[in-house]
Amino acid sequence: MLSDIEIATAATLRPIRDVAAETLGIAEEHLVPFGHDKAKVDPGYLSSLADRPLGKLVLVTALSPTPPGEGKTTTTVGLTDALHGLGHRTVACLREPSMGPVFGMKGGAAGGGYSQVVPMTDINLHFTGDFAALAAANNLLAALIDNHVHHGNELGIDVRSVTWKRVLDTNDRALREITVGLGGHANGFPRSDGFDIVVASELMAIFCLTESVADLKQRIGDIVIGYTRAMEPVTARQLGADGALAVLLKDALSPNLVQTLEGAPAFVHGGPFANIAHGCSSVMATRAGLRLADYVVTEAGFGADLGAEKFVDIKCRKSGLRPDVAVVVATVRALKYHGGVALADLGTEDVAAVEAGMANLRRHLRNVREVYGIPCVVAVNRFPTDTDAEVARVVELVADEGVRAFPATHFADGGSGAHDLAKGVLATLDEPSAHEFSFTYPDELSLIEKVEAVATRVYDAGQVTWEPRARRRLARFEKDGYGHLPVCIAKTQYSFSTDPTSLGAPSGHELHVREVRLSAGAGFVVAVCGDIMTMPGLPASPAAQRIDLLDDGTITGLS
Amino acid sequence: MLSDIEIATAATLRPIRDVAAETLGIAEEHLVPFGHDKAKVDPGYLSSLADRPLGKLVLVTALSPTPPGEGKTTTTVGLTDALHGLGHRTVACLREPSMGPVFGMKGGAAGGGYSQVVPMTDINLHFTGDFAALAAANNLLAALIDNHVHHGNELGIDVRSVTWKRVLDTNDRALREITVGLGGHANGFPRSDGFDIVVASELMAIFCLTESVADLKQRIGDIVIGYTRAMEPVTARQLGADGALAVLLKDALSPNLVQTLEGAPAFVHGGPFANIAHGCSSVMATRAGLRLADYVVTEAGFGADLGAEKFVDIKCRKSGLRPDVAVVVATVRALKYHGGVALADLGTEDVAAVEAGMANLRRHLRNVREVYGIPCVVAVNRFPTDTDAEVARVVELVADEGVRAFPATHFADGGSGAHDLAKGVLATLDEPSAHEFSFTYPDELSLIEKVEAVATRVYDAGQVTWEPRARRRLARFEKDGYGHLPVCIAKTQYSFSTDPTSLGAPSGHELHVREVRLSAGAGFVVAVCGDIMTMPGLPASPAAQRIDLLDDGTITGLS
């Protein structure tokens, strides 16, 4: 089979204005073109759709993944293509890939095989400049902080307590911990600082939860950048930064429209981390999709314990959006991995391991249906090494849970490989739901109780323990008026516990909260459990060394 | 009079595809649109024009400026509008403004008054993403350097000798001097580092001197990022970075087309510093303009001692381009400033001071005609406080030098205010030139002799002195095979000397070279004389605090 970039490069793209007009009924005048195959949709036009009925929202999530991933984006695209191919007005809502990792290990992140969004190289690189705008805004705020301190520090910012970091969309471990302001008087006051990758910025989370320009500016103003010596929070508004940052993000806020390889429309917009942020594409795009199409297929990051939980408890809670059905992506490989097979041996048939690994998927299905209250189906995303016996066993085991599973081959076959899945999704949407949508916890619980609710109800943890400092900071957040916010738990995506090697469905484990952070503008409190990397590094042999530009302008080696 | 942003916002822009078609004959299919009023021009189309005859190249330069500036960009736009209005196929080639300073002191940099390029806010902010692409490429190379060292340092890079810095397009003094790689083993080796602003990156200079994708990759590969312990240069090519960086810059390399307020076409593309780099917009844009139009009006940074010298000795030398005429922008204000009047008193009539300050302009005229060998006219860019007597005296004094001076009011009146200037430029182009274009020095001189040639012939310095370390490094550059490169002298723009308070036309001064830097990819050696700031800071009351976004999306306070 061809590589992702070979498939993407060989594809004939239709002009995005034709895709917009024919698939979503958007007239050309409402598009802001970026070249001929990418466009932003005019926000004024989107506002004019406010009275339209909303389509159905399909949330693609997954079991706890293996390190190479289970194909959640690929399944989102494949399912979109299948629904589109079956004649349904459907749009995918995906996260924008981060450029940094493209030059590290992972290659592109715009789907794979014959289920991709295109233009693939553009989407994986600068795209429409949203990430660059976020970086510029983030770093302007950082500069304004140090500038304020340099010019007299009227607000009394304690430079030891500045929590706002700088960002780049580059994998650069050398910037994780730095000292800035060296070199004497003219360069300000030295302090410890660090860079995160753009997707880890609170501004990215804000961007993805924002409903309008006014809301954006409000949220930016609410950002707490650090504290005074008396531990009073200092906001971006106090620095007079909210207007300028909003100006820098204004254009980026309009959703980006591209197409799948099969010509279905896709909004690719925003992409926060799914650990220290909520891991979903933008509310602006989801809402636009629901007004423009009958079906919106969107994904949440990592497994259903992380991405889907945050989709429900953060994105849905804040926006009022509600998923109508969830698609839980499972793979034979991941089930065997959870059943105890080593990563290197996942290509060998092992039905018993599939059965053993089912404990992981079973718990995710329980969470999706009983905790979040969303009806669901399972997509068995087939890999070439899967045997028919293994796949059949997955379908049986899922059926034992009262859930339908649909093997799908969209990676190799495009949308037609996901027709059964699409029909299963449509059938589920037509049935009365046995479940009622619900948050994991109500707003009224204390921050500690909210973390405990997720830990016990979703992760099956036995207890939550706290670093004393983290607990003190939570009390401070509540005193400062942030107790009503939802929590965003940052932990490994490989396990229900905080130990990435504890596979399957561990129970009774301890969830230790090492650190808490306030994302006052985004509107959540992050509880960090375990080591969470917010600035990746490059590997010994980075992809950058294999990516090349030929004299005729052809890009090679991107994936 | 209205502010720049009020004028720009009130303007009715024509679709850029219409401007492209009607003013330059570019069909829509050769444009890559960015919204409806900005476009890149397809590089394949530009290549197809290779056989077309070249238009005339008009270089706009200036006397030594006052700190607020003399309106060089404004004059470039006004002259373009005048030629356009007189029915000549004309295009402006301007530098892209840096975003960082927009949030500091200076507001926009896309002309002013009724001589602006639009859309003004876009051009001053993210525009088409060129600067973001340059930052991403620059910082990927930086990450690859530290990553190489972290993973074994096969090339033996001496981290004390790394010269490649990171960049942001943010005014951020706290990043001038930093320590990176702190925090232990996983974060690499600590070392001293710093951030420059994007326009100060060698990559910006490379970008602006590049002729093609192949040339771009070659130049990137030639970048010397630092040295081994044995002082052997290490190149970006040795790090395997040239392909990936070229990929990141591929789209940016196509010139950006916008329009003036009067609907004339303008390429706004690239913008290197005029001190540590050559200070001109891209060769790609200039060459495109010369093939598409009969007249290209372009500007060089700072005064004619800096920007024009580098235009001649770097841009023209490397590209083969030749200016047909120079327009030296002078103002009554600047002449009085050079004549000894304090900045605060420049609004008061003082013909004697104008006469005294003429020494500065006289020397620039000598340099342009006798050193660079370019015929020239003077544009007297009128300010509201200029009196008729002062302006008349300038015209007389310039005539005494055998040069025609044309008062121009394009700031207040648009292109019609520069009709006389335009006619003067056309008349000069029609006359046989009394001068023959010439570089300030030939390639064959040593690097030291090249600096001496500029110092004595252009600056009228008495002698050049060197920090011993700078001199040793020059010898090293020559030993490493870089002796044939031209030199790029970084010094204050306010004086012919290195002392910004030494106004007028100082002679016999000492040019002290503090430091030298190799820009092997761009292809020049920088001699730093005096303090050159490559990362600006923000003022006590930054413009960012006055820039705002209204709920309806209107941007205020940008200028």
Side-chain angles (χ1 to χ4, degrees), chain B residues 81-343:
Chain B
D81 279 336
L83 289 164
H84 174 73
L86 291 169
H88 299 284
R89 185 179 275 223
T90 308
V91 62
C93 285
L94 300 171
R95 290 171 291 170
E96 294 183 59
S98 176
M99 185 164 60
V102 168
F103 295 99
M105 293 243 266
K106 97 173 187 180
Y114 288 90
S115 291
Q116 296 187 53
V117 283
V118 282
M120 180 258 209
T121 54
D122 295 44
I123 294 170
N124 278 301
L125 298 176
H126 310 297
F127 201 23
T128 60
D130 294 345
F131 282 28
L134 284 158
N138 183 101
N139 295 335
L140 176 58
L141 178 53
L144 287 167
I145 294 166
D146 283 306
N147 190 58
H148 179 87
V149 173
H150 177 71
H151 285 296
N153 200 9
E154 198 179 325
L155 293 169
I157 296 168
D158 182 344
V159 294
R160 301 166 307 180
S161 305
V162 172
T163 48
W164 191 257
K165 294 172 80 176
R166 290 168 168 89
V167 298
L168 283 182
D169 198 6
T170 308
N171 284 19
D172 192 347
R173 69 171 61 75
L175 293 178
R176 285 175 189 152
E177 291 190 30
I178 65 176
T179 307
V180 300
L182 300 172
H185 189 278
N187 298 351
F189 293 88
R191 68 177 180 91
S192 293
D193 195 15
F195 276 76
D196 284 338
I197 195 158
V198 169
V199 291
S201 168
E202 182 185 347
L203 219 45
M204 175 64 91
I206 289 174
F207 181 82
C208 288
L209 290 168
T210 285
E211 305 264 359
S212 68
V213 158
D215 183 35
L216 175 67
K217 205 170 86 179
Q218 177 72 33
R219 288 174 180 277
I220 292 170
D222 290 344
I223 293 169
V224 171
I225 60 91
Y227 293 85
T228 66
R229 195 178 270 263
M231 279 305 282
E232 293 298 321
V234 178
T235 66
R237 189 175 296 109
Q238 288 176 273
L239 286 164
D242 47 336
L245 266 67
V247 164
L248 282 168
L249 294 177
K250 168 183 172 287
D251 291 341
L253 205 57
S254 303
N256 305 303
L257 184 67
V258 293
Q259 63 193 288
T260 69
L261 286 173
E262 300 187 3
F267 284 122
V268 179
H269 195 224
F273 261 7
N275 41 41
I276 52 98
H278 63 289
C280 317
S281 62
S282 78
V283 169
M284 294 281 286
T286 310
R287 206 182 291 286
L290 289 169
R291 286 184 175 137
L292 289 161
D294 296 322
Y295 301 96
V296 170
V297 186
T298 192
E299 58 168 346
F302 298 151
D305 54 333
L306 288 164
E309 188 274 317
K310 288 160 186 163
F311 187 91
V312 166
D313 284 316
I314 297 177
K315 181 169 174 171
C316 290
R317 189 187 298 261
K318 291 184 177 291
S319 64
L321 295 169
R322 297 289 181 265
D324 296 285
V325 65
V327 173
V328 181
V329 178
T331 61
V332 166
R333 292 164 50 85
L335 289 168
K336 287 193 284 193
Y337 185 65
H338 286 290
V341 178
L343 207 48

Side-chain angles (χ1 to χ4, degrees), chain A residues 372-518:
Chain A
Y372 318 142
I374 310 169
C376 71
V377 300
V378 168
V380 185
N381 182 26
R382 284 202 72 154
F383 278 65
T385 53
D386 298 352
T387 68
D388 289 346
E390 288 173 324
V391 171
R393 191 70 187 117
V394 178
V395 174
E396 280 173 8
L397 290 166
V398 170
D400 290 348
E401 302 301 310
V403 176
R404 280 164 295 187
F406 301 93
T409 59
H410 44 276
F411 183 88
D413 299 328
S416 68
H419 273 182
D420 289 349
L421 173 64
K423 288 173 189 165
V425 166
L426 293 172
T428 306
L429 286 168
D430 280 343
E431 293 163 5
S433 174
H435 310 282
E436 191 176 354
F437 178 84
S438 166
F439 302 125
T440 308
Y441 51 81
D443 289 346
E444 296 73 41
L445 293 192
S446 71
L447 293 169
I448 287 175
E449 289 166 332
K450 286 170 186 167
V451 173
E452 287 171 348
V454 177
T456 53
R457 297 192 67 199
V458 178
Y459 307 158
D460 286 42
Q463 60 170 332
V464 179
T465 58
W466 300 81
E467 285 293 316
R469 182 162 180 276
R471 204 157 172 144
R472 285 198 302 273
R473 296 214 72 175
L474 275 198
R476 166 69 58 177
F477 296 161
E478 290 185 336
K479 175 191 152 296
D480 290 339
Y482 300 109
H484 64 290
L485 296 180
V487 295
C488 179
I489 299 179
K491 72 161 185 64
T492 177
Q493 68 265 39
Y494 299 120
S495 172
F496 281 105
S497 79
T498 55
D499 173 5
T501 66
S502 176
L503 304 177
S507 284
H509 47 275
E510 173 187 318
L511 184 83
H512 184 69
V513 182
R514 185 168 58 76
E515 180 192 342
V516 294
R517 301 178 192 173
L518 175 63

Side-chain angles (χ1 to χ4, degrees), chain B residues 394-449:
Chain B
V394 177
V395 173
E396 282 173 8
L397 290 166
V398 170
D400 291 346
E401 302 301 311
V403 176
R404 280 165 293 188
F406 301 92
T409 59
H410 45 276
F411 183 88
D413 300 327
S416 67
H419 272 184
D420 290 347
L421 173 63
K423 288 173 189 162
V425 166
L426 293 172
T428 306
L429 285 169
D430 281 343
E431 294 163 4
S433 174
H435 310 284
E436 190 175 356
F437 178 84
S438 165
F439 302 125
T440 308
Y441 51 81
D443 289 346
E444 296 72 41
L445 293 191
S446 71
L447 293 169
I448 286 176
E449 289 166 332

Side-chain angles (χ1 to χ4, degrees), chain A residues 85-364:
Chain A
L86 291 168
H88 299 284
R89 185 179 274 222
T90 308
V91 63
C93 285
L94 299 171
R95 290 171 290 170
E96 294 183 59
S98 175
M99 185 163 60
V102 168
F103 295 99
M105 293 243 268
K106 96 174 186 179
Y114 288 91
S115 291
Q116 296 187 52
V117 284
V118 282
M120 180 257 208
T121 55
D122 296 42
I123 294 171
N124 278 300
L125 298 175
H126 310 296
F127 200 24
T128 60
D130 294 345
F131 282 29
L134 284 157
N138 184 101
N139 294 336
L140 176 59
L141 179 52
L144 287 167
I145 295 166
D146 283 306
N147 190 59
H148 179 88
V149 173
H150 177 71
H151 285 295
N153 200 10
E154 198 179 326
L155 293 169
I157 296 168
D158 182 343
V159 293
R160 303 166 306 179
S161 304
V162 172
T163 48
W164 191 257
K165 294 171 80 177
R166 291 169 168 90
V167 298
L168 283 181
D169 198 7
T170 309
N171 284 18
D172 193 346
R173 69 170 64 71
L175 292 178
R176 286 175 189 153
E177 291 190 30
I178 67 177
T179 307
V180 300
L182 300 172
H185 188 278
N187 299 349
F189 292 88
R191 67 177 180 91
S192 294
D193 194 14
F195 276 77
D196 285 338
I197 195 158
V198 169
V199 291
S201 168
E202 182 184 347
L203 218 46
M204 174 64 90
I206 288 173
F207 182 81
C208 287
L209 291 168
T210 285
E211 305 263 358
S212 68
V213 158
D215 182 34
L216 175 68
K217 204 170 87 178
Q218 178 72 33
R219 287 174 179 276
I220 291 170
D222 290 344
I223 292 170
V224 171
I225 60 91
Y227 293 85
T228 66
R229 197 178 266 264
M231 279 305 282
E232 293 298 319
V234 177
T235 65
R237 188 175 297 110
Q238 288 176 272
L239 287 164
D242 46 336
L245 267 67
V247 164
L248 282 168
L249 294 176
K250 166 183 174 285
D251 292 340
L253 206 57
S254 304
N256 305 303
L257 184 65
V258 292
Q259 62 193 289
T260 69
L261 286 174
E262 301 187 2
F267 284 122
V268 178
H269 196 225
F273 261 6
N275 41 42
I276 52 98
H278 64 290
C280 317
S281 61
S282 78
V283 168
M284 294 281 286
T286 311
R287 206 182 291 286
L290 289 168
R291 285 182 177 140
L292 289 161
D294 296 322
Y295 301 95
V296 170
V297 186
T298 192
E299 59 168 344
F302 298 151
D305 53 333
L306 288 164
E309 188 274 318
K310 288 160 186 162
F311 187 92
V312 166
D313 284 316
I314 298 176
K315 180 167 174 171
C316 290
R317 188 188 300 259
K318 291 184 178 291
S319 65
L321 295 169
R322 297 291 180 262
D324 295 287
V325 65
V327 174
V328 180
V329 177
T331 60
V332 166
R333 292 165 49 85
L335 289 168
K336 287 193 284 196
Y337 184 67
H338 286 290
V341 177
L343 208 49
D345 301 327
L346 293 179
T348 309
E349 183 178 79
D350 191 339
V351 173
V354 168
E355 291 168 350
M358 183 64 197
N360 183 272
L361 178 57
R362 198 176 286 125
R363 185 177 293 164
H364 285 295

